[in-house]
Amino acid sequence: MPFTVADVPHLPAGFSDTFTSHTVETTELTLHAVVGGDGPPLLLLPGWPQFWYSWRLVMPALAEHFTVIAPDLRGMGASDKPATGYDAARLADDTAELMTALGHDRFAVVGYDLGMLVGYALAAGHRDRVTRFVGAESILPGLSPSPPLLSDPATNEFLWHFAFNRLADINERMVAGREEIYFGHTFTSKTADPPSRSTSSTSTSTSCATWTPCAPASSTTGPSTPPPSTSCGGATRGRCPSRSWR
């Protein structure tokens, strides 16, 4: 399984002494999460197109005060990658099931970017379980004002991927085989200090971003049967993890 604690590079010293990878079977899929620390449970939700690894530098300090749970959301990292189910409400229900399976009835949530959307849906849909919620670096569709379609160049450069990722099929066909271009650009153009990011660290987040394109959304027969899967680190790459992330 790729993307587990044992697989990824550049972890803080002693990280694996505190944190371990766990897999949980939910109603629909298998989710992966990295867990460690001692104290009240704290759920850390990553942004797009990242996985638990994006929290690695702050997890050791948080683990001194909390039981830290950093999952890979549906379609990301070592979690399953089904063709459907990428709306925020479904992702929130996934994480609620994950926390139940890990033995946490009530917990605090921190999410940024996509993680903020999922965290908000989780707090709204499971109010009796979420004790605190902190969100950052995103808007909330339906609540936050939406930027205009034709924006100034700087805003367009920053937000163009929102509309691109919501397309039904052409986006996957354009990115397939060019993942390093698309995701590499995302990381280098949206990182606060791009020169500080090592090439291998960026590659960790982009190397397994390949998927087999799904059937067009207009198909009435559902996704077509994929050709034989390729592998990354011995695991099957998922199909369509990008369709509804944004």
Side-chain angles (χ1 to χ4, degrees):
M1 176 184 296
F3 299 128
T4 66
V5 170
D7 295 312
V8 296
H10 304 297
L11 293 175
F15 190 92
S16 59
D17 295 333
T18 301
F19 294 97
T20 56
S21 284
H22 296 253
T23 55
V24 168
E25 298 286 340
T26 70
T27 303
E28 297 184 359
L29 73 168
T30 300
L31 294 175
H32 169 255
V34 174
V35 181
D38 185 40
L42 175 62
L43 177 65
L44 304 179
L45 300 177
W48 177 91
Q50 299 170 306
F51 60 112
W52 72 265
Y53 186 73
S54 63
W55 292 104
R56 69 193 184 283
L57 299 182
V58 300
M59 288 170 68
L62 290 172
E64 297 177 7
H65 307 281
F66 301 94
T67 298
V68 175
I69 302 97
D72 294 337
L73 299 176
R74 174 190 297 240
M76 296 180 173
S79 291
D80 282 350
K81 303 166 181 63
T84 60
Y86 293 95
D87 57 280
R90 183 74 64 85
L91 295 173
D93 288 344
D94 285 346
T95 57
E97 287 195 62
L98 169 75
M99 295 301 281
T100 297
L102 292 175
H104 304 301
D105 183 54
R106 290 171 57 79
F107 47 90
V109 181
V110 179
Y112 68 92
D113 190 71
L114 173 62
M116 174 178 165
L117 307 187
V118 178
Y120 180 83
L122 182 60
H126 301 269
R127 298 187 182 191
D128 58 329
R129 302 192 61 187
V130 176
T131 59
R132 298 286 190 276
F133 167 57
V134 177
E137 299 185 27
S138 185
I139 62 173
L140 291 172
L143 298 178
S144 305
S146 180
L149 176 62
L150 301 178
S151 303
D152 62 273
T155 301
N156 184 64
E157 179 67 26
F158 191 67
L159 299 178
W160 68 273
H161 64 287
F162 276 67
F164 181 79
N165 283 355
R166 295 186 67 190
L167 297 172
D169 173 63
I170 187 65
N171 50 4
E172 295 170 0
R173 291 162 57 194
M174 292 176 69
V175 173
R178 307 176 184 87
E179 290 80 14
E180 184 64 35
I181 297 174
Y182 180 52
F183 293 106
H185 172 78
T186 297
F187 286 117
T188 58
S189 65
K190 293 178 172 56
T191 301
D193 185 15
S196 69
R197 291 188 63 89
S198 68
T199 300
S200 56
S201 179
T202 301
S203 296
T204 300
S205 299
T206 61
S207 62
C208 293
T210 300
W211 58 86
T212 302
C214 290
S218 59
S219 172
T220 58
T221 58
S224 58
T225 301
S229 299
T230 54
S231 64
C232 183
T236 301
R237 292 171 176 163
R239 301 166 57 208
C240 312
S242 71
R243 175 165 294 174
S244 302
W245 283 357
R246 285 295 192 187

